[in-house]
Amino acid sequence: MMRAHAERLRLESRFGAAGAELFADAFQVVTGWWERTPDVWSWTQRAWGVGLEARELRTAPLVIYPEAVQLAREMLRYEQQAERTRSARVSWLEGVQQLVDGWGLVGVEGWGELVRWLDHHSRPAPAAAGRGGRRGRVLAVGHSRLAEPAGSLSDRSCMG
C-alpha cells in the first residue's frame, strides 16, 4: 500500500494536475470493477489485514488503491502516445487486460468504462502532438472538457 502511494505521489509530482487526474480516472474505473467483483482474493486480504470486512463500502478506497495506481500508469502510457488509431486502442486494451487478469479479475465486467475513457481521450493534447509526453503537459482534449480542475476524485475524473 505504501509503495502504491509513493508511486502515486511520483506520478503527481512529475505530471502535476495531469497525474492527479489520471489517478482519479483510474480510481473510478477500478471502483466499478470492485463494485462488480468485491471478492478478489488480494482485495479481501487487504481488507482483513486492517480489520475490515471485504464487502464493506468503506474498504473500497483502501483495497483498490494499488490497482488504481497501476492503471493510472497505463493510462499515462496511453496519453504519451500520439497515435490514437483503432489498432493502438486495441493494443493498449490488450495490455490492460493482461494487467487486470494478473490482479485476479479474469472475466470482470465493466470494460465499458475503460472504453468510455478511451473515447474521452481519443485526440491527444495539443502539447503532446509530435513531442511525446512532456512534463506538465495537459491531458487529451476530451478530458479537460469533462473533468473539474480540482475537487474530489470523482470531480477530477472525466468518468464522473
Side-chain angles (χ1 to χ4, degrees):
M1 181 60 76
M2 295 304 293
R3 192 173 301 148
H5 187 62
E7 180 64 23
R8 176 187 175 186
L9 293 177
R10 276 191 298 276
L11 180 71
E12 291 179 7
S13 172
R14 185 162 181 215
F15 295 97
E21 291 166 8
L22 285 171
F23 176 76
D25 291 347
F27 192 84
Q28 294 303 310
V29 171
V30 178
T31 295
W33 291 337
W34 179 84
E35 289 170 350
R36 290 176 185 85
T37 318
D39 295 328
V40 171
W41 182 239
S42 61
W43 292 346
T44 300
Q45 285 182 309
R46 283 185 206 139
W48 290 347
V50 294
L52 297 170
E53 291 297 318
R55 291 180 172 263
E56 285 183 63
L57 186 58
R58 65 189 180 130
T59 65
L62 171 70
V63 300
I64 68 172
Y65 196 93
E67 288 79 10
V69 172
Q70 289 176 3
L71 183 58
R73 294 294 288 166
E74 288 302 307
M75 289 173 159
L76 173 64
R77 191 172 60 79
Y78 183 80
E79 283 292 332
Q80 289 177 327
Q81 306 178 163
E83 185 179 8
R84 295 292 197 268
T85 62
R86 179 167 163 45
S87 65
R89 285 171 60 123
V90 167
S91 176
W92 183 79
L93 281 169
E94 287 171 351
V96 171
Q97 177 70 58
Q98 289 177 1
L99 182 66
V100 169
D101 288 350
W103 298 339
L105 288 170
V106 178
V108 71
E109 294 179 24
W111 286 91
E113 286 116 348
L114 210 47
V115 170
R116 188 167 48 123
W117 182 85
L118 284 168
D119 289 344
H120 294 168
H121 295 252
S122 62
R123 292 185 4 228
R131 287 190 243 156
R134 296 189 53 173
R135 184 174 184 193
R137 71 173 193 76
V138 295
L139 296 178
V141 175
H143 189 283
S144 347
R145 199 176 62 243
L146 297 167
E148 295 295 323
S152 69
L153 286 175
S154 60
D155 291 340
R156 296 198 71 173
S157 172
C158 68
M159 304 302 294

PDB file of all heavy atoms in Angstrom, residues 40-69:
ATOM      1  N   VAL A  40     -12.337 -10.412  -4.954  1.00  0.00           N
ATOM      2  CA  VAL A  40     -10.994 -10.714  -5.448  1.00  0.00           C
ATOM      3  C   VAL A  40     -10.104 -10.971  -4.232  1.00  0.00           C
ATOM      4  O   VAL A  40     -10.128 -10.206  -3.263  1.00  0.00           O
ATOM      5  CB  VAL A  40     -10.451  -9.546  -6.304  1.00  0.00           C
ATOM      6  CG1 VAL A  40      -8.992  -9.736  -6.648  1.00  0.00           C
ATOM      7  CG2 VAL A  40     -11.304  -9.392  -7.558  1.00  0.00           C
ATOM      8  N   TRP A  41      -9.352 -12.064  -4.262  1.00  0.00           N
ATOM      9  CA  TRP A  41      -8.621 -12.514  -3.090  1.00  0.00           C
ATOM     10  C   TRP A  41      -7.681 -11.441  -2.532  1.00  0.00           C
ATOM     11  O   TRP A  41      -7.635 -11.215  -1.321  1.00  0.00           O
ATOM     12  CB  TRP A  41      -7.867 -13.801  -3.398  1.00  0.00           C
ATOM     13  CG  TRP A  41      -7.131 -14.340  -2.210  1.00  0.00           C
ATOM     14  CD1 TRP A  41      -5.797 -14.567  -2.120  1.00  0.00           C
ATOM     15  CD2 TRP A  41      -7.687 -14.713  -0.945  1.00  0.00           C
ATOM     16  NE1 TRP A  41      -5.483 -15.053  -0.873  1.00  0.00           N
ATOM     17  CE2 TRP A  41      -6.639 -15.152  -0.134  1.00  0.00           C
ATOM     18  CE3 TRP A  41      -8.974 -14.712  -0.415  1.00  0.00           C
ATOM     19  CZ2 TRP A  41      -6.814 -15.586   1.174  1.00  0.00           C
ATOM     20  CZ3 TRP A  41      -9.158 -15.146   0.887  1.00  0.00           C
ATOM     21  CH2 TRP A  41      -8.085 -15.575   1.665  1.00  0.00           C
ATOM     22  N   SER A  42      -6.938 -10.758  -3.379  1.00  0.00           N
ATOM     23  CA  SER A  42      -5.998  -9.744  -2.871  1.00  0.00           C
ATOM     24  C   SER A  42      -6.758  -8.603  -2.189  1.00  0.00           C
ATOM     25  O   SER A  42      -6.291  -8.069  -1.178  1.00  0.00           O
ATOM     26  CB  SER A  42      -5.109  -9.207  -3.987  1.00  0.00           C
ATOM     27  OG  SER A  42      -5.892  -8.589  -4.994  1.00  0.00           O
ATOM     28  N   TRP A  43      -7.926  -8.259  -2.706  1.00  0.00           N
ATOM     29  CA  TRP A  43      -8.716  -7.187  -2.098  1.00  0.00           C
ATOM     30  C   TRP A  43      -9.285  -7.644  -0.762  1.00  0.00           C
ATOM     31  O   TRP A  43      -9.315  -6.894   0.208  1.00  0.00           O
ATOM     32  CB  TRP A  43      -9.818  -6.734  -3.038  1.00  0.00           C
ATOM     33  CG  TRP A  43      -9.308  -6.033  -4.259  1.00  0.00           C
ATOM     34  CD1 TRP A  43      -8.041  -5.553  -4.446  1.00  0.00           C
ATOM     35  CD2 TRP A  43     -10.025  -5.730  -5.439  1.00  0.00           C
ATOM     36  NE1 TRP A  43      -7.940  -4.969  -5.684  1.00  0.00           N
ATOM     37  CE2 TRP A  43      -9.146  -5.067  -6.322  1.00  0.00           C
ATOM     38  CE3 TRP A  43     -11.329  -5.970  -5.858  1.00  0.00           C
ATOM     39  CZ2 TRP A  43      -9.531  -4.615  -7.583  1.00  0.00           C
ATOM     40  CZ3 TRP A  43     -11.721  -5.521  -7.105  1.00  0.00           C
ATOM     41  CH2 TRP A  43     -10.825  -4.857  -7.960  1.00  0.00           C
ATOM     42  N   THR A  44      -9.739  -8.887  -0.698  1.00  0.00           N
ATOM     43  CA  THR A  44     -10.265  -9.438   0.553  1.00  0.00           C
ATOM     44  C   THR A  44      -9.160  -9.473   1.610  1.00  0.00           C
ATOM     45  O   THR A  44      -9.375  -9.066   2.752  1.00  0.00           O
ATOM     46  CB  THR A  44     -10.826 -10.857   0.312  1.00  0.00           C
ATOM     47  OG1 THR A  44     -11.875 -10.769  -0.665  1.00  0.00           O
ATOM     48  CG2 THR A  44     -11.371 -11.459   1.583  1.00  0.00           C
ATOM     49  N   GLN A  45      -7.976  -9.915   1.225  1.00  0.00           N
ATOM     50  CA  GLN A  45      -6.847  -9.970   2.168  1.00  0.00           C
ATOM     51  C   GLN A  45      -6.485  -8.575   2.688  1.00  0.00           C
ATOM     52  O   GLN A  45      -6.191  -8.415   3.872  1.00  0.00           O
ATOM     53  CB  GLN A  45      -5.628 -10.595   1.498  1.00  0.00           C
ATOM     54  CG  GLN A  45      -5.725 -12.084   1.330  1.00  0.00           C
ATOM     55  CD  GLN A  45      -4.468 -12.626   0.696  1.00  0.00           C
ATOM     56  OE1 GLN A  45      -4.008 -12.146  -0.329  1.00  0.00           O
ATOM     57  NE2 GLN A  45      -3.900 -13.632   1.341  1.00  0.00           N
ATOM     58  N   ARG A  46      -6.471  -7.575   1.818  1.00  0.00           N
ATOM     59  CA  ARG A  46      -6.146  -6.218   2.269  1.00  0.00           C
ATOM     60  C   ARG A  46      -7.178  -5.719   3.279  1.00  0.00           C
ATOM     61  O   ARG A  46      -6.824  -5.090   4.267  1.00  0.00           O
ATOM     62  CB  ARG A  46      -6.089  -5.253   1.088  1.00  0.00           C
ATOM     63  CG  ARG A  46      -4.839  -5.363   0.288  1.00  0.00           C
ATOM     64  CD  ARG A  46      -4.772  -4.304  -0.796  1.00  0.00           C
ATOM     65  NE  ARG A  46      -3.927  -4.810  -1.859  1.00  0.00           N
ATOM     66  CZ  ARG A  46      -4.168  -4.675  -3.147  1.00  0.00           C
ATOM     67  NH1 ARG A  46      -5.217  -4.008  -3.568  1.00  0.00           N
ATOM     68  NH2 ARG A  46      -3.354  -5.174  -4.033  1.00  0.00           N
ATOM     69  N   ALA A  47      -8.434  -5.981   3.007  1.00  0.00           N
ATOM     70  CA  ALA A  47      -9.487  -5.548   3.929  1.00  0.00           C
ATOM     71  C   ALA A  47      -9.325  -6.244   5.277  1.00  0.00           C
ATOM     72  O   ALA A  47      -9.346  -5.595   6.329  1.00  0.00           O
ATOM     73  CB  ALA A  47     -10.868  -5.838   3.342  1.00  0.00           C
ATOM     74  N   TRP A  48      -9.148  -7.536   5.260  1.00  0.00           N
ATOM     75  CA  TRP A  48      -8.986  -8.296   6.502  1.00  0.00           C
ATOM     76  C   TRP A  48      -7.742  -7.833   7.258  1.00  0.00           C
ATOM     77  O   TRP A  48      -7.726  -7.798   8.482  1.00  0.00           O
ATOM     78  CB  TRP A  48      -8.887  -9.778   6.220  1.00  0.00           C
ATOM     79  CG  TRP A  48     -10.171 -10.411   5.757  1.00  0.00           C
ATOM     80  CD1 TRP A  48     -11.432  -9.873   5.808  1.00  0.00           C
ATOM     81  CD2 TRP A  48     -10.316 -11.699   5.169  1.00  0.00           C
ATOM     82  NE1 TRP A  48     -12.345 -10.750   5.281  1.00  0.00           N
ATOM     83  CE2 TRP A  48     -11.685 -11.885   4.886  1.00  0.00           C
ATOM     84  CE3 TRP A  48      -9.422 -12.705   4.846  1.00  0.00           C
ATOM     85  CZ2 TRP A  48     -12.172 -13.039   4.304  1.00  0.00           C
ATOM     86  CZ3 TRP A  48      -9.917 -13.853   4.264  1.00  0.00           C
ATOM     87  CH2 TRP A  48     -11.283 -14.027   3.993  1.00  0.00           C
ATOM     88  N   GLY A  49      -6.698  -7.491   6.521  1.00  0.00           N
ATOM     89  CA  GLY A  49      -5.443  -7.076   7.137  1.00  0.00           C
ATOM     90  C   GLY A  49      -5.560  -5.822   7.999  1.00  0.00           C
ATOM     91  O   GLY A  49      -4.746  -5.599   8.891  1.00  0.00           O
ATOM     92  N   VAL A  50      -6.572  -5.019   7.734  1.00  0.00           N
ATOM     93  CA  VAL A  50      -6.781  -3.815   8.553  1.00  0.00           C
ATOM     94  C   VAL A  50      -8.057  -3.922   9.382  1.00  0.00           C
ATOM     95  O   VAL A  50      -8.574  -2.925   9.875  1.00  0.00           O
ATOM     96  CB  VAL A  50      -6.793  -2.523   7.690  1.00  0.00           C
ATOM     97  CG1 VAL A  50      -5.421  -2.285   7.078  1.00  0.00           C
ATOM     98  CG2 VAL A  50      -7.878  -2.578   6.626  1.00  0.00           C
ATOM     99  N   GLY A  51      -8.561  -5.150   9.507  1.00  0.00           N
ATOM    100  CA  GLY A  51      -9.714  -5.387  10.369  1.00  0.00           C
ATOM    101  C   GLY A  51     -11.057  -4.988   9.795  1.00  0.00           C
ATOM    102  O   GLY A  51     -12.006  -4.751  10.541  1.00  0.00           O
ATOM    103  N   LEU A  52     -11.173  -4.932   8.478  1.00  0.00           N
ATOM    104  CA  LEU A  52     -12.440  -4.575   7.843  1.00  0.00           C
ATOM    105  C   LEU A  52     -13.020  -5.789   7.121  1.00  0.00           C
ATOM    106  O   LEU A  52     -12.299  -6.713   6.756  1.00  0.00           O
ATOM    107  CB  LEU A  52     -12.234  -3.444   6.833  1.00  0.00           C
ATOM    108  CG  LEU A  52     -11.748  -2.116   7.397  1.00  0.00           C
ATOM    109  CD1 LEU A  52     -11.365  -1.176   6.259  1.00  0.00           C
ATOM    110  CD2 LEU A  52     -12.814  -1.482   8.269  1.00  0.00           C
ATOM    111  N   GLU A  53     -14.304  -5.770   6.922  1.00  0.00           N
ATOM    112  CA  GLU A  53     -14.956  -6.792   6.115  1.00  0.00           C
ATOM    113  C   GLU A  53     -14.713  -6.476   4.639  1.00  0.00           C
ATOM    114  O   GLU A  53     -14.722  -5.304   4.245  1.00  0.00           O
ATOM    115  CB  GLU A  53     -16.464  -6.822   6.391  1.00  0.00           C
ATOM    116  CG  GLU A  53     -16.813  -7.338   7.763  1.00  0.00           C
ATOM    117  CD  GLU A  53     -16.391  -8.780   7.972  1.00  0.00           C
ATOM    118  OE1 GLU A  53     -16.565  -9.598   7.051  1.00  0.00           O
ATOM    119  OE2 GLU A  53     -15.868  -9.089   9.061  1.00  0.00           O
ATOM    120  N   ALA A  54     -14.521  -7.490   3.850  1.00  0.00           N
ATOM    121  CA  ALA A  54     -14.167  -7.309   2.443  1.00  0.00           C
ATOM    122  C   ALA A  54     -15.228  -6.559   1.650  1.00  0.00           C
ATOM    123  O   ALA A  54     -14.909  -5.811   0.739  1.00  0.00           O
ATOM    124  CB  ALA A  54     -13.887  -8.661   1.798  1.00  0.00           C
ATOM    125  N   ARG A  55     -16.478  -6.754   1.967  1.00  0.00           N
ATOM    126  CA  ARG A  55     -17.545  -6.149   1.164  1.00  0.00           C
ATOM    127  C   ARG A  55     -18.027  -4.802   1.697  1.00  0.00           C
ATOM    128  O   ARG A  55     -18.933  -4.210   1.134  1.00  0.00           O
ATOM    129  CB  ARG A  55     -18.725  -7.104   1.079  1.00  0.00           C
ATOM    130  CG  ARG A  55     -18.416  -8.316   0.249  1.00  0.00           C
ATOM    131  CD  ARG A  55     -19.643  -9.221   0.200  1.00  0.00           C
ATOM    132  NE  ARG A  55     -19.435 -10.290  -0.733  1.00  0.00           N
ATOM    133  CZ  ARG A  55     -19.874 -10.276  -1.992  1.00  0.00           C
ATOM    134  NH1 ARG A  55     -20.525  -9.251  -2.445  1.00  0.00           N
ATOM    135  NH2 ARG A  55     -19.652 -11.298  -2.775  1.00  0.00           N
ATOM    136  N   GLU A  56     -17.438  -4.312   2.771  1.00  0.00           N
ATOM    137  CA  GLU A  56     -17.845  -3.011   3.298  1.00  0.00           C
ATOM    138  C   GLU A  56     -17.467  -1.914   2.316  1.00  0.00           C
ATOM    139  O   GLU A  56     -16.354  -1.900   1.798  1.00  0.00           O
ATOM    140  CB  GLU A  56     -17.141  -2.714   4.622  1.00  0.00           C
ATOM    141  CG  GLU A  56     -17.670  -3.472   5.799  1.00  0.00           C
ATOM    142  CD  GLU A  56     -16.954  -3.054   7.076  1.00  0.00           C
ATOM    143  OE1 GLU A  56     -17.068  -1.873   7.453  1.00  0.00           O
ATOM    144  OE2 GLU A  56     -16.290  -3.912   7.657  1.00  0.00           O
ATOM    145  N   LEU A  57     -18.377  -0.999   2.084  1.00  0.00           N
ATOM    146  CA  LEU A  57     -18.120   0.091   1.154  1.00  0.00           C
ATOM    147  C   LEU A  57     -16.894   0.892   1.551  1.00  0.00           C
ATOM    148  O   LEU A  57     -16.109   1.302   0.708  1.00  0.00           O
ATOM    149  CB  LEU A  57     -19.351   1.011   1.067  1.00  0.00           C
ATOM    150  CG  LEU A  57     -19.280   2.116   0.035  1.00  0.00           C
ATOM    151  CD1 LEU A  57     -19.063   1.543  -1.364  1.00  0.00           C
ATOM    152  CD2 LEU A  57     -20.545   2.948   0.070  1.00  0.00           C
ATOM    153  N   ARG A  58     -16.682   1.081   2.834  1.00  0.00           N
ATOM    154  CA  ARG A  58     -15.544   1.896   3.257  1.00  0.00           C
ATOM    155  C   ARG A  58     -14.203   1.215   3.003  1.00  0.00           C
ATOM    156  O   ARG A  58     -13.155   1.838   3.107  1.00  0.00           O
ATOM    157  CB  ARG A  58     -15.681   2.295   4.723  1.00  0.00           C
ATOM    158  CG  ARG A  58     -15.640   1.159   5.695  1.00  0.00           C
ATOM    159  CD  ARG A  58     -15.992   1.625   7.096  1.00  0.00           C
ATOM    160  NE  ARG A  58     -15.938   0.512   8.019  1.00  0.00           N
ATOM    161  CZ  ARG A  58     -15.286   0.521   9.160  1.00  0.00           C
ATOM    162  NH1 ARG A  58     -14.662   1.610   9.541  1.00  0.00           N
ATOM    163  NH2 ARG A  58     -15.294  -0.529   9.932  1.00  0.00           N
ATOM    164  N   THR A  59     -14.215  -0.075   2.638  1.00  0.00           N
ATOM    165  CA  THR A  59     -12.946  -0.746   2.321  1.00  0.00           C
ATOM    166  C   THR A  59     -12.481  -0.440   0.907  1.00  0.00           C
ATOM    167  O   THR A  59     -11.295  -0.577   0.612  1.00  0.00           O
ATOM    168  CB  THR A  59     -13.062  -2.278   2.461  1.00  0.00           C
ATOM    169  OG1 THR A  59     -13.976  -2.774   1.491  1.00  0.00           O
ATOM    170  CG2 THR A  59     -13.466  -2.682   3.852  1.00  0.00           C
ATOM    171  N   ALA A  60     -13.371  -0.032   0.025  1.00  0.00           N
ATOM    172  CA  ALA A  60     -13.025   0.124  -1.393  1.00  0.00           C
ATOM    173  C   ALA A  60     -11.791   0.997  -1.625  1.00  0.00           C
ATOM    174  O   ALA A  60     -10.865   0.564  -2.317  1.00  0.00           O
ATOM    175  CB  ALA A  60     -14.218   0.652  -2.176  1.00  0.00           C
ATOM    176  N   PRO A  61     -11.730   2.207  -1.071  1.00  0.00           N
ATOM    177  CA  PRO A  61     -10.536   3.024  -1.365  1.00  0.00           C
ATOM    178  C   PRO A  61      -9.234   2.352  -0.943  1.00  0.00           C
ATOM    179  O   PRO A  61      -8.226   2.446  -1.638  1.00  0.00           O
ATOM    180  CB  PRO A  61     -10.772   4.308  -0.566  1.00  0.00           C
ATOM    181  CG  PRO A  61     -12.248   4.380  -0.383  1.00  0.00           C
ATOM    182  CD  PRO A  61     -12.699   2.940  -0.272  1.00  0.00           C
ATOM    183  N   LEU A  62      -9.255   1.667   0.158  1.00  0.00           N
ATOM    184  CA  LEU A  62      -8.057   1.007   0.645  1.00  0.00           C
ATOM    185  C   LEU A  62      -7.674  -0.178  -0.226  1.00  0.00           C
ATOM    186  O   LEU A  62      -6.530  -0.301  -0.670  1.00  0.00           O
ATOM    187  CB  LEU A  62      -8.272   0.523   2.084  1.00  0.00           C
ATOM    188  CG  LEU A  62      -7.174  -0.366   2.653  1.00  0.00           C
ATOM    189  CD1 LEU A  62      -5.912   0.440   2.881  1.00  0.00           C
ATOM    190  CD2 LEU A  62      -7.646  -1.025   3.931  1.00  0.00           C
ATOM    191  N   VAL A  63      -8.625  -1.042  -0.505  1.00  0.00           N
ATOM    192  CA  VAL A  63      -8.273  -2.297  -1.162  1.00  0.00           C
ATOM    193  C   VAL A  63      -7.949  -2.133  -2.635  1.00  0.00           C
ATOM    194  O   VAL A  63      -7.178  -2.917  -3.189  1.00  0.00           O
ATOM    195  CB  VAL A  63      -9.348  -3.396  -0.955  1.00  0.00           C
ATOM    196  CG1 VAL A  63      -9.528  -3.703   0.513  1.00  0.00           C
ATOM    197  CG2 VAL A  63     -10.655  -3.055  -1.595  1.00  0.00           C
ATOM    198  N   ILE A  64      -8.489  -1.141  -3.302  1.00  0.00           N
ATOM    199  CA  ILE A  64      -8.236  -0.996  -4.739  1.00  0.00           C
ATOM    200  C   ILE A  64      -7.138   0.008  -5.070  1.00  0.00           C
ATOM    201  O   ILE A  64      -6.771   0.167  -6.227  1.00  0.00           O
ATOM    202  CB  ILE A  64      -9.530  -0.616  -5.494  1.00  0.00           C
ATOM    203  CG1 ILE A  64      -9.985   0.792  -5.135  1.00  0.00           C
ATOM    204  CG2 ILE A  64     -10.607  -1.650  -5.286  1.00  0.00           C
ATOM    205  CD1 ILE A  64     -11.133   1.303  -5.988  1.00  0.00           C
ATOM    206  N   TYR A  65      -6.597   0.662  -4.067  1.00  0.00           N
ATOM    207  CA  TYR A  65      -5.607   1.719  -4.284  1.00  0.00           C
ATOM    208  C   TYR A  65      -4.419   1.271  -5.148  1.00  0.00           C
ATOM    209  O   TYR A  65      -4.079   1.954  -6.128  1.00  0.00           O
ATOM    210  CB  TYR A  65      -5.132   2.234  -2.922  1.00  0.00           C
ATOM    211  CG  TYR A  65      -4.416   3.554  -2.955  1.00  0.00           C
ATOM    212  CD1 TYR A  65      -5.108   4.742  -2.765  1.00  0.00           C
ATOM    213  CD2 TYR A  65      -3.040   3.621  -3.153  1.00  0.00           C
ATOM    214  CE1 TYR A  65      -4.453   5.957  -2.777  1.00  0.00           C
ATOM    215  CE2 TYR A  65      -2.385   4.827  -3.169  1.00  0.00           C
ATOM    216  CZ  TYR A  65      -3.087   6.003  -2.975  1.00  0.00           C
ATOM    217  OH  TYR A  65      -2.437   7.199  -3.004  1.00  0.00           O
ATOM    218  N   PRO A  66      -3.766   0.153  -4.829  1.00  0.00           N
ATOM    219  CA  PRO A  66      -2.611  -0.246  -5.662  1.00  0.00           C
ATOM    220  C   PRO A  66      -2.977  -0.475  -7.131  1.00  0.00           C
ATOM    221  O   PRO A  66      -2.228  -0.078  -8.026  1.00  0.00           O
ATOM    222  CB  PRO A  66      -2.120  -1.540  -4.999  1.00  0.00           C
ATOM    223  CG  PRO A  66      -2.579  -1.425  -3.584  1.00  0.00           C
ATOM    224  CD  PRO A  66      -3.919  -0.732  -3.669  1.00  0.00           C
ATOM    225  N   GLU A  67      -4.124  -1.089  -7.378  1.00  0.00           N
ATOM    226  CA  GLU A  67      -4.539  -1.331  -8.763  1.00  0.00           C
ATOM    227  C   GLU A  67      -4.880  -0.029  -9.472  1.00  0.00           C
ATOM    228  O   GLU A  67      -4.593   0.130 -10.662  1.00  0.00           O
ATOM    229  CB  GLU A  67      -5.715  -2.306  -8.796  1.00  0.00           C
ATOM    230  CG  GLU A  67      -5.338  -3.735  -8.460  1.00  0.00           C
ATOM    231  CD  GLU A  67      -5.174  -4.007  -6.959  1.00  0.00           C
ATOM    232  OE1 GLU A  67      -5.538  -3.139  -6.130  1.00  0.00           O
ATOM    233  OE2 GLU A  67      -4.695  -5.082  -6.604  1.00  0.00           O
ATOM    234  N   ALA A  68      -5.477   0.905  -8.759  1.00  0.00           N
ATOM    235  CA  ALA A  68      -5.791   2.209  -9.364  1.00  0.00           C
ATOM    236  C   ALA A  68      -4.509   2.929  -9.772  1.00  0.00           C
ATOM    237  O   ALA A  68      -4.447   3.543 -10.842  1.00  0.00           O
ATOM    238  CB  ALA A  68      -6.610   3.058  -8.394  1.00  0.00           C
ATOM    239  N   VAL A  69      -3.475   2.840  -8.965  1.00  0.00           N
ATOM    240  CA  VAL A  69      -2.193   3.472  -9.311  1.00  0.00           C
ATOM    241  C   VAL A  69      -1.598   2.789 -10.545  1.00  0.00           C
ATOM    242  O   VAL A  69      -1.116   3.465 -11.467  1.00  0.00           O
ATOM    243  CB  VAL A  69      -1.211   3.430  -8.121  1.00  0.00           C
ATOM    244  CG1 VAL A  69       0.178   3.897  -8.533  1.00  0.00           C
ATOM    245  CG2 VAL A  69      -1.732   4.290  -6.966  1.00  0.00           C
TER     246      VAL A  69
END
